[in-house]
Amino acid sequence: MNEKGLTIEELLNVVNQLPKDMECLKPIGRLCTDKKESYQKAYEHFIHTNNNTCLNGENLNDDNVIKGQALESLVSLLFESTGGFFEVYRNIRNGSNEVDLFVGFSQKGKIFSSILDNKFSNIVCECKNYGRNVDVTYVGKFYSLLNSTNNKLGIMFSYGGMTGKSWGAAKGLTKKLFLLREKEDDKIYILDFDKTDFKKILDGESLFDILENKCKSLKMGVDDITKYIVKHPNEDEAVSKK
């Protein structure tokens, strides 16, 4: 690569040389080494605000503002620290609607969109960090926001996640809303992202893998698709022979 970067032909040549198993692409979306310390501090602050009272605010409302800011900062870092594939826009107002964070592919993300999956090119993010789980009311309002702004993928970030299990309460509503539209391209994904998911990033999992598995879970109508992903009996043997 020279100072001017790669030409289209040179870039295609690089892509054509990638191995068929694409093992080399697995690190995409993982926490960058030089960003890990910043992300960890933001994560620990997020956990602290949710497990303590009297956060230097004058009252409960002030403490809730501090909790909300801790979550928004962590979400921003999440997208900024996992490879530079996203640009983050905070507190976007559109008419009567306000979006906590809007995330879109950066120039780098656009170049790799066919690999990363283009459905992640525009993401509406809602941060709920007020000491309780996300219930059906919030999910319903979020769906209305996505629908009115013509966005197909939204993530609800919180500490404890959505209420209910499987088809019950808020989690169940995301599945029912996903099924409302028949055409695959018209379906709206509302993903649940909580403290355990933030920790997975810190532990080295890929953001794209986490989001893709959540999308698959919606499609299959299950809580967590990863529960059903099992190793092939000969997988370890095949790896050892490489």
Side-chain angles (χ1 to χ4, degrees):
M1 180 182 293
N2 55 37
E3 292 181 357
K4 295 182 179 179
L6 296 175
T7 66
I8 296 297
E9 291 77 11
E10 288 170 335
L11 181 60
L12 288 172
N13 186 50
V14 171
V15 172
N16 288 334
Q17 292 181 44
L18 292 173
K20 291 182 179 180
D21 60 12
M22 303 297 276
E23 188 73 19
C24 60
L25 298 181
K26 284 191 174 182
I28 288 180
R30 290 180 183 171
L31 188 62
C32 299
T33 304
D34 62 332
K35 302 288 186 180
K36 186 170 183 179
E37 184 177 352
S38 298
Y39 181 87
Q40 183 162 353
K41 286 181 179 179
Y43 169 77
E44 289 173 351
H45 179 58
F46 165 65
I47 297 297
H48 172 79
T49 60
N50 280 275
N51 286 282
N52 292 275
T53 56
C54 300
L55 302 172
N56 298 323
E58 293 184 3
N59 51 46
L60 181 60
N61 287 334
D62 285 350
D63 280 357
N64 284 337
V65 170
I66 292 171
K67 288 182 179 181
Q69 290 173 341
L71 176 56
E72 285 193 21
S73 295
L74 181 58
V75 173
S76 292
L77 265 176
L78 170 72
F79 287 105
E80 293 167 354
S81 304
T82 47
F85 297 102
F86 295 100
E87 293 177 347
V88 179
Y89 306 87
R90 300 179 69 163
N91 304 118
I92 305 297
R93 180 169 288 280
N94 178 15
S96 60
N97 298 313
E98 184 170 351
V99 176
D100 289 340
L101 294 105
F102 180 79
V103 182
F105 275 158
S106 62
Q107 190 61 41
K108 180 180 178 181
K110 291 175 183 176
I111 291 172
F112 288 93
S113 60
S114 60
I115 296 173
L116 302 176
D117 197 322
N118 205 47
K119 69 171 173 286
F120 299 126
S121 61
N122 293 300
I123 305 174
V124 178
C125 303
E126 187 87 356
C127 297
K128 297 297 181 186
N129 205 29
Y130 303 114
R132 59 184 183 275
N133 289 34
V134 178
D135 62 22
V136 290
T137 301
Y138 287 129
V139 172
K141 289 180 178 179
F142 193 40
Y143 177 82
S144 178
L145 173 64
L146 293 170
N147 195 36
S148 64
T149 56
N150 198 31
N151 284 286
K152 300 295 186 293
L153 196 148
I155 306 175
M156 300 205 76
F157 292 94
S158 66
Y159 180 77
M162 295 180 183
T163 59
K165 293 183 178 180
S166 189
W167 287 89
K171 287 186 178 179
L173 182 56
T174 64
K175 296 180 176 67
K176 294 168 185 175
L177 292 173
F178 178 78
L179 294 172
L180 278 180
R181 302 182 180 189
E182 291 185 7
K183 293 182 178 179
E184 181 67 28
D185 291 342
D186 294 337
K187 290 183 178 296
I188 292 180
Y189 294 81
I190 298 178
L191 309 183
D192 182 17
F193 203 104
D194 63 22
K195 62 181 183 296
T196 61
D197 297 304
F198 286 116
K199 183 62 165 58
K200 288 177 182 177
I201 296 294
L202 197 56
D203 291 339
E205 290 196 32
S206 164
L207 174 61
F208 292 108
D209 285 347
I210 292 173
L211 296 183
E212 185 59 45
N213 283 331
K214 290 180 180 295
C215 289
K216 288 177 180 176
S217 295
L218 269 182
K219 287 183 178 182
M220 300 300 293
V222 298
D223 280 342
D224 182 7
I225 195 70
T226 60
K227 294 178 182 178
Y228 304 95
I229 300 174
V230 296
K231 279 187 175 182
H232 187 279
N234 298 325
E235 184 175 332
D236 290 333
E237 182 181 350
V239 171
S240 65
K241 290 179 179 180
K242 287 184 178 181

